[in-house]
Amino acid sequence: MNKSERYEKLYGELAALLAGESDLVANAANMSALIWQSLPGLSWAGFYLMKDGEIVLGPFQGKPACVRISTGRGVCGTVASTGKSLIVPDVRAFPGHIACDAASRSEIVLPLFREGMLIALLDLDSPEVGRFDEEDQRGLESLVALFLENLA
Ligand code: SME
């Protein structure tokens, strides 16, 4: 299966998994688990939730992670400030990267907006340098759009 086929399959599976449920935490938990088991080369997959202007750990799969991140700090904090998806091919070359897991070498973070407000971030980490590309970004953005459509 190539990357775009993998994301197409994942989209169908996510649609089935979220159908009829609008709870953010339940859906974020299942979406993390689905991504974790479907995409190769991941060391972490999950959500950070915006709470009172702070980025707080949400449902995820992988090793325990940093609980609170200040806006503007690290990859997640940068995405929370800019509101734009970010691919970091080599986290060691990213100033301020927060190393929750020393094995993480590349990362992609996407913002989730609801009614114009940033509500969460989707964060994927990999032990491989350059694991994520624009195709991953597009694929993950469509999964995020589906997730947002299902919220109450
Ligand atoms: N590396 C992230 C922190 C979160 S973990 O990767 C799960 C960052 O710099 O924002």
Side-chain angles (χ1 to χ4, degrees), residues 25-79:
V25 170
N27 286 349
N30 262 342
M31 181 164 159
S32 314
L34 183 69
I35 289 174
W36 178 252
Q37 70 172 22
S38 308
L39 296 181
L42 300 184
S43 51
W44 202 87
F47 289 80
Y48 277 90
L49 307 176
M50 299 306 299
K51 297 203 172 175
D52 302 324
E54 239 189 324
I55 305 164
V56 184
L57 184 64
F60 71 96
Q61 298 278 309
K63 287 189 184 162
C66 316
V67 176
R68 287 177 192 270
I69 298 172
S70 309
T71 304
R73 283 203 58 227
V75 184
C76 289
T78 301
V79 172

Side-chain angles (χ1 to χ4, degrees), residues 121-137:
L121 304 167
L122 176 67
D123 182 7
L124 271 58
D125 286 25
S126 172
E128 298 159 29
V129 171
R131 161 69 182 79
F132 306 105
D133 60 17
E134 266 118 55
E135 210 170 346
D136 290 291
Q137 184 177 329

Side-chain angles (χ1 to χ4, degrees), residues 54-152:
E54 239 189 324
I55 305 164
V56 184
L57 184 64
F60 71 96
Q61 298 278 309
K63 287 189 184 162
C66 316
V67 176
R68 287 177 192 270
I69 298 172
S70 309
T71 304
R73 283 203 58 227
V75 184
C76 289
T78 301
V79 172
S81 322
T82 62
K84 290 199 176 113
S85 300
L86 184 61
I87 296 171
V88 179
D90 183 354
V91 296
R92 292 183 192 170
F94 186 88
H97 171 255
I98 303 163
C100 295
D101 177 359
S104 166
R105 292 304 312 276
S106 61
E107 182 162 358
I108 183 168
V109 177
L110 296 91
L112 278 72
F113 286 97
R114 188 184 191 188
E115 290 164 7
M117 291 263 295
L118 181 70
I119 57 161
L121 304 167
L122 176 67
D123 182 7
L124 271 58
D125 286 25
S126 172
E128 298 159 29
V129 171
R131 161 69 182 79
F132 306 105
D133 60 17
E134 266 118 55
E135 210 170 346
D136 290 291
Q137 184 177 329
R138 278 195 300 275
L140 292 167
E141 278 170 352
S142 54
L143 298 181
V144 160
L146 183 57
F147 175 86
L148 291 167
E149 279 166 27
N150 272 273
L151 293 182

